[in-house]
Structures are given as C-alpha cells and as structure tokens.
Amino acid sequence: MKTFLLLSIQLHALYGNVFSQQCPSSALKIQSPLCDTPRNLRVNDIKCATVKLSWKGNKEQKYIVEATGADNAANTIFEVKAAEYSCDNGNCFATISVKEGAKLNWNVQAICNINGVTIYSPKVEGKETFIPSCLP
C-alpha cells in the first residue's frame, strides 16, 4: 500500500502541471493566409471631422477597421474603430470620425469563418494621413 501511495504522489507531482494547464485566452487571434487579406488601402475623402477609407475586399468577409491619431496641438492620442462599413463588388468603404489637425494611422483586417473556426487576415496598414483643421 505504501508503494502505491508513493507512486501516486510521484505521478501527481510529475504530471499534475500538464493536466492543470488551461487553453489559451480567447483574445488571441489566429491569422492565416486562408482569410483574404485586404488590398489597395486608400483614403478617398478627408474632412476635418471624418475620413472615408476604401480597400479591395470580399463581401463574404467581415472587417475590422481601426485608426489611431495623435493630436499634437492638444497633446492627445485617440483610437477609433469603424463600426460600419460596406462592400460592393469587391470595393469596401468605411467612414471614421477623426480629430482635426491630427496625424492618422489606420489599418484593416479581415475576419473569416472557415469550417466553424474564426480566422483573421494579417493587418494591413494604410498610409499615414494628416487631417486638416476646420476653418472658422
């Protein structure tokens, strides 16, 4: 009986950590080229409070459009995610709110559902854009 107890304790000490490990956080994004990467990112229209962005995409996919900006005059940084976008015949558009006088960096990432698994494309960076100040 002592031998069995000692063996049980040793096995638990040896393998206990293996069985107690948990799955990775669901916040991790699996990226794969199987999810079509957005292409030809462009800024179509710049106003003092909004920017219209475009890219080539697939209407069957969903997209995440994110932007960060630095407003040097106010010494602030802001982040924006486009909640709405549209895709028609491979042309996708999103309009985001921005702050005047800021430098804007933005990116687009596709989200695909392949065989019940959510997969993300690599993030594609758009060209840094300067937002003009509004005239009084």
Side-chain angles (χ1 to χ4, degrees):
M1 185 67 167
K2 277 185 172 183
T3 305
F4 177 73
L5 183 60
L6 268 168
L7 183 59
S8 293
I9 292 171
Q10 287 175 337
L11 285 173
H12 179 69
L14 183 62
Y15 295 108
N17 288 337
V18 172
F19 295 118
S20 68
Q21 290 180 356
Q22 297 179 0
C23 292
S25 166
S26 62
L28 296 176
K29 294 180 179 179
I30 299 170
Q31 291 186 4
S32 169
L34 294 174
C35 190
D36 289 337
T37 303
R39 337 174 273 298
N40 300 338
L41 277 66
R42 290 191 327 235
V43 174
N44 286 9
D45 189 24
I46 303 173
K47 301 211 185 307
C48 59
T50 61
V51 174
K52 186 173 184 180
L53 310 170
S54 68
W55 64 94
K56 294 286 183 185
N58 180 340
K59 70 177 184 176
E60 304 300 319
Q61 296 178 167
K62 294 182 179 180
Y63 293 93
I64 300 170
V65 181
E66 296 177 317
T68 57
D71 182 356
N72 292 334
N75 201 23
T76 60
I77 294 177
F78 62 92
E79 293 183 38
V80 179
K81 282 191 180 182
E84 294 184 23
Y85 61 87
S86 63
C87 291
D88 186 32
N89 296 325
N91 296 311
C92 300
F93 301 94
T95 300
I96 59 172
S97 298
V98 293
K99 294 185 180 183
E100 62 179 292
K103 284 186 182 176
L104 185 72
N105 292 296
W106 60 285
N107 63 67
V108 179
Q109 184 176 35
I111 306 170
C112 303
N113 189 326
I114 300 174
N115 296 328
V117 176
T118 301
I119 298 175
Y120 297 81
S121 75
K123 283 185 181 180
V124 180
E125 300 289 328
K127 187 177 179 182
E128 182 178 71
T129 305
F130 180 76
I131 310 305
S133 295
C134 295
L135 297 174

